[in-house]
Amino acid sequence: MSVERSIPLSRVRNIGIMAHIDAGKTTCSERILFYTGKNHKIGETHDGAATMDWMAQEQERGITITSAATTTMWRECQINLIDTPGHVDFTAEVERSLRVLDGVIGLFCAVGGVEPQSETVWRQADKYEVPRIAFVNKMDRVGADFFGVVRKIQDILGANAVPIAIPIGEGQEFGGIVDLVENNARYFDERDKGVTVRVEPIPENMGEVAETWRMNLLEKASEHDDGLMEKYLEGREIAPGELRAVVKQATHNQKIVPVLCGSAFRNKGVQLLLDAIVDYLPSPADKPPIIGESARGSVRRRVPGGGDPLSAIAFKIMTDRHVGKLVYVRVYSGRLESGTFVLNSTQNKRQRVGRIMRMHANRQELVDCLHEGEIGAVIGIGDAMTGDTICAENDPIILEAIEFPSPVLSIAVSPKDKGERDKLSKALQKLSEEDPTFLVSTDHETEDTLIAGMGELHLDILVDRMRREFGVEVDSGAPQVAYRETATIESEVNERFAKQTGGRGQFAQVALRVESLPPGSGFEFVNAVVGGAIPREYIPAVQKGVADALVKGAWAGYPVVDVRVTLFDGKHHEVDSSEQAFRTCASMAFKKAFLAANPQLLEPVMSVNVFTPEEFAGAVAGNLCSKRGRINAMEPQGFGQQIRAMVPLANMFGYASDLRNMTQGRASFTMHFEQYETVPLKIAEGVVAERRKNDGKNAKSA
């Protein structure tokens, strides 16, 4: 194979599909693969046969768990497609995908509209400034309301949603689509799964509606181009190509979100969506230069298509039982060739690139290199972690890393067979390499292995993967809430540490002030020592001692957050003082000062969104209130009610079963971490007492 580029950079599209769970992302992806000729038959999600849902857990549950990548062609354009999960527990998959994509399809259910997770992923796309087009799916469903969904995109998401196509009928009457750019109607032949598309004049009964929305399109587009505005105001004819060019530029600048419609399951409208990907979403050449840093911290730029040296980011790690560790990369400049040496500039490690593959879900196609703008997987750079920069050895650059949310739920795990501890350890290591929101730690008092993730489903899937992929049967404890501790008032302490055991002793004295900081501030250390009361070389040891004490709070044993610790005085001894003495003294001092600072317990509070049929809305709202929840909004949606609430995580375990029982299985919900809040004193005392009781039991058994 040649390493020369066969497709111009301007004809490459790196796009993803994002949406709320069950909006039809994977079904839409399957149609894209079918119409582009990548697949010769359509795999259905409900049959467990979808190409992009290749994991056993995905096929059994009918949901997407891991983002799957594939490459296909449409109108001589190479489309690198990533299908992302819709469930909030796997939001990291969306986060890492958006970091490397140039454009996104926001999928919306024609009945559900802007659902809770649609809003979450839209905000994630806002963060990375990714241009979007919207596709209103499931137009064949009873209760479908295309124009209602457009209004919700405008009102809830604050997007300038502009229809470039409108449906001919809705629900059971949905028959075709009016293309407002070409000003004609499209019908899809059901006999050949919609492959044949008939182009006809707009039906008479749609004439007035189509004209209204075409004028809306022209008006919105002309706001972003003076030449088009002049033609529009003078009533002159505007050619489709001219209109497309303006909409394309406005989409790239995130001034417009073109909206299309269809029914992926009924094979209607997907070809128009493919055309819109090519016509409106940017290529890597349309994107601004990639900004990074040199090893010394100076700003470096890589211009797509500018002939710059290699720069790429590792955005996903996967373990394949046949080939080992796969590192998914997006190449921003230069080219990544097999057999060459590259620099992992994040870790400052030189590595040799082994095999390179284009991925088609879990199937692989070997290639000799990845050109700038392309996405693929690499074997041989096994030390790479998610977010690492891969670049040319002679011109290093470090690209901005990917930020992930912190886990909110943890459970203790142990192998059923005590002889499989090493096997479990290897499985946990590989899974944590793949998933940055999956953390593994050890409780040093109980020696329990703790795993932490984004929710019950997330941890359930990981435990299942340990069994299936790594052959480790595990016992898991009850979910534990990731509580935190913080100070509420200012306190000071002057602590002296002196120990004489024969020979050289240990001496240190530190004076600390502990103050509370606003939520989310973390830990701040201030050195305010004057006059050399504590020699400069011992200051880092004091900071380390305080950091040691923060890991396990003195009040309830949970990590301490949002505090400022000021070191303002102390004493030392010329002979007996040491780094270890000051580290120990600082840890003791902080614990005393913290207990005097009226400590409070903080708990993770979740943003919960429930969609329920109208007749169960009262019961659902009442149940959320009984869980210490605060109802923020109740609003009609389709044939039901959407309830938005804030509820402590501690009260949400098993909520899926509760909701099913309350609503005859007809309601659904999503939940994601929002913030930490103070636990009411009476409940906090119970949590602290239980923690101390368990610690006492563990100490006895040890």
Side-chain angles (χ1 to χ4, degrees):
M1 292 182 214
S2 169
V3 295
E4 294 305 314
R5 178 184 285 281
S6 57
I7 295 171
L9 190 61
S10 61
R11 302 200 71 77
V12 174
R13 301 289 184 274
N14 293 311
I15 62 140
I17 302 182
M18 63 179 194
H20 184 86
I21 191 168
D22 203 32
K25 294 180 302 302
T26 303
T27 302
C28 190
S29 298
E30 291 298 317
R31 269 55 182 187
I32 287 174
L33 296 178
F34 177 68
Y35 293 127
T36 57
K38 188 76 178 180
N39 283 355
H40 298 295
K41 75 172 210 177
I42 296 171
E44 300 294 6
T45 309
H46 56 269
D47 294 333
T51 303
M52 304 296 269
D53 282 353
W54 57 270
M55 289 176 66
Q57 294 87 348
E58 293 177 315
Q59 293 166 357
E60 289 170 1
R61 289 169 168 82
I63 62 169
T64 301
I65 291 168
T66 183
S67 53
T70 190
T71 300
T72 190
M73 298 292 295
W74 182 257
R75 282 175 41 194
E76 299 181 352
C77 276
Q78 177 181 313
I79 297 175
N80 301 316
L81 172 69
I82 295 181
D83 175 25
T84 66
H87 196 287
V88 70
D89 278 17
F90 309 104
T91 188
E93 293 291 327
V94 182
E95 191 83 23
R96 65 164 127 222
S97 299
L98 287 171
R99 171 66 174 78
V100 299
L101 293 171
D102 299 322
V104 168
I105 303 164
L107 213 69
F108 298 90
C109 172
V111 179
V114 177
E115 296 171 280
Q117 188 64 3
S118 324
E119 196 171 346
T120 301
V121 295
W122 196 271
R123 302 296 175 221
Q124 285 174 294
D126 282 342
K127 181 168 100 174
Y128 291 107
E129 298 182 345
V130 184
R132 277 146 276 180
I133 58 178
F135 183 71
V136 180
N137 192 29
K138 301 190 178 184
M139 285 304 308
D140 59 309
R141 291 266 302 273
V142 175
D145 181 2
F146 173 77
F147 300 111
V149 176
V150 172
R151 284 194 300 274
K152 284 185 177 179
I153 294 172
Q154 294 166 340
D155 296 342
I156 298 174
L157 303 179
N160 186 17
V162 180
I164 59 171
I166 60 173
I168 300 173
E170 293 177 338
Q172 294 177 340
E173 303 300 317
F174 177 57
I177 295 167
V178 171
D179 182 340
L180 297 174
V181 177
E182 292 286 347
N183 214 18
N184 56 31
R186 310 286 179 96
Y187 298 92
F188 304 85
D189 197 328
E190 295 183 14
R191 292 170 296 183
D192 61 4
K193 297 182 179 175
V195 172
T196 303
V197 183
R198 300 193 323 274
V199 180
E200 297 183 6
I202 296 170
E204 284 186 23
N205 64 337
M206 287 287 297
E208 191 175 327
V209 175
E211 181 60 23
T212 299
W213 284 100
R214 178 170 165 80
M215 295 307 290
N216 175 72
L217 170 59
L218 293 173
E219 183 181 324
K220 295 284 188 182
S222 64
E223 291 173 2
H224 305 283
D225 185 88
D226 292 340
L228 195 69
M229 172 69 81
E230 191 177 324
K231 276 192 172 184
Y232 172 69
L233 292 175
E234 292 174 0
R236 286 190 279 158
E237 186 66 29
I238 295 172
E242 188 179 0
L243 180 55
R244 262 193 290 269
V246 173
V247 173
K248 175 182 179 178
Q249 195 55 50
T251 304
H252 290 191
N253 296 335
Q254 299 170 70
K255 302 294 186 185
I256 278 180
V257 176
V259 186
L260 299 99
C261 60
S263 168
F265 185 64
R266 297 295 176 195
N267 310 309
K268 294 177 180 178
V270 177
Q271 292 97 322
L272 281 175
L273 176 60
L274 280 163
D275 286 339
I277 291 169
V278 172
D279 290 337
Y280 305 119
L281 289 180
S283 72
D286 297 318
K287 302 290 284 183
I290 306 304
I291 308 296
E293 289 184 351
S294 70
R296 295 179 179 177
S298 59
V299 175
R300 306 297 299 274
R301 287 179 171 79
R302 293 286 189 264
V303 180
D308 287 341
L310 169 68
S311 66
I313 193 164
F315 69 94
K316 182 179 171 71
I317 309 294
M318 280 199 66
T319 303
D320 186 288
R321 67 178 66 185
H322 302 297
V323 298
K325 188 173 177 179
L326 283 173
V327 180
Y328 282 70
V329 297
R330 156 73 194 264
V331 181
Y332 285 103
S333 62
R335 65 187 181 200
L336 186 66
E337 296 182 54
S338 60
T340 60
F341 282 93
V342 295
L343 177 69
N344 180 332
S345 56
T346 307
Q347 300 185 31
N348 197 26
K349 285 184 180 178
R350 184 177 189 249
Q351 295 185 301
R352 186 178 183 275
V353 178
R355 285 177 286 168
I356 299 177
M357 292 164 287
R358 282 206 186 98
M359 299 301 295
H360 182 48
N362 64 331
R363 301 204 303 273
Q364 299 139 6
E365 173 197 346
L366 278 173
V367 295
D368 285 342
C369 81
L370 290 173
H371 295 279
E372 59 187 336
E374 293 189 328
I375 291 172
V378 183
I379 298 171
I381 52 174
D383 290 337
M385 303 296 289
T386 301
D388 283 0
T389 299
I390 309 299
C391 62
E393 291 183 274
N394 59 357
D395 199 344
I397 185 173
I398 301 175
L399 303 178
E400 184 183 353
I402 310 171
E403 290 183 10
F404 293 100
S406 301
V408 295
L409 195 64
S410 68
I411 58 174
V413 293
S414 59
K416 287 188 176 178
D417 182 346
K418 299 302 178 189
E420 293 193 329
R421 283 193 179 276
D422 287 346
K423 209 171 172 184
L424 173 63
S425 179
K426 287 177 183 175
L428 292 173
Q429 181 188 347
K430 288 182 178 178
L431 289 171
S432 62
E433 283 177 357
E434 290 184 19
D435 186 348
T437 60
F438 173 55
L439 299 184
V440 182
S441 61
T442 302
D443 187 315
H444 295 292
E445 289 200 1
T446 65
E447 295 187 356
D448 283 342
T449 299
L450 303 176
I451 61 173
M454 299 306 296
E456 288 180 278
L457 179 61
H458 187 200
L459 293 177
D460 183 39
I461 295 291
L462 289 163
V463 169
D464 192 40
R465 287 187 63 193
M466 288 178 219
R467 178 175 61 83
R468 295 192 196 214
E469 294 174 33
F470 301 97
V472 185
E473 295 282 351
V474 300
D475 290 320
S476 55
Q480 300 294 312
V481 178
Y483 289 106
R484 298 286 183 266
E485 298 177 33
T486 193
T488 58
I489 61 173
E490 185 179 309
S491 71
E492 291 184 1
V493 70
N494 195 329
E495 180 71 10
R496 186 171 181 269
F497 173 67
K499 196 172 182 182
Q500 196 71 41
T501 55
R504 183 177 173 179
Q506 295 285 328
F507 178 84
Q509 186 168 333
V510 298
L512 297 178
R513 182 183 306 114
V514 173
E515 313 166 68
S516 64
L517 289 175
S521 302
F523 165 55
E524 184 182 326
F525 181 80
V526 179
N527 174 22
V529 174
V530 293
I534 299 177
R536 187 177 300 172
E537 63 265 27
Y538 294 141
I539 302 298
V542 174
Q543 185 170 352
K544 284 178 184 173
V546 173
D548 292 342
L550 290 173
V551 174
K552 190 169 184 182
W555 183 43
Y558 294 104
V560 178
V561 295
D562 304 334
V563 291
R564 177 189 293 121
V565 177
T566 303
L567 173 66
F568 62 88
D569 201 2
K571 290 181 181 176
H572 73 288
H573 188 279
E574 292 294 340
V575 176
D576 290 348
S577 287
S578 66
E579 287 190 8
Q580 187 55 49
F582 272 99
R583 187 167 180 171
T584 303
C585 185
S587 182
M588 293 164 55
F590 175 79
K591 288 175 182 176
K592 283 187 179 178
F594 183 70
L595 287 173
N598 191 21
Q600 274 189 343
L601 199 64
L602 303 175
E603 64 182 343
V605 174
M606 314 302 283
S607 175
V608 180
N609 293 275
V610 184
F611 176 75
T612 175
E614 184 74 47
E615 62 264 37
F616 304 115
V620 170
N623 180 261
L624 288 172
C625 290
S626 74
K627 295 178 181 292
R628 294 196 285 129
R630 303 190 303 272
I631 306 296
N632 292 337
M634 289 181 67
E635 51 197 33
Q637 182 172 309
F639 294 108
Q641 285 274 340
Q642 180 170 285
I643 302 172
R644 299 172 185 259
M646 301 282 284
V647 191
L649 174 63
N651 295 68
M652 288 301 291
F653 297 133
Y655 185 65
S657 298
D658 292 347
L659 189 63
R660 273 197 300 272
N661 294 335
M662 271 187 293
T663 64
Q664 301 168 10
R666 293 166 60 195
S668 61
F669 82 104
T670 61
M671 176 174 77
H672 67 266
F673 171 71
E674 190 69 33
Q675 63 200 29
Y676 272 93
E677 292 184 6
T678 304
V679 181
L681 183 59
K682 194 167 184 181
I683 294 171
E685 287 173 346
V687 172
V688 174
E690 185 66 24
R691 172 83 174 200
R692 288 174 179 165
K693 183 171 139 188
N694 290 337
D695 285 350
K697 282 182 185 173
N698 293 327
K700 281 182 186 175
S701 63

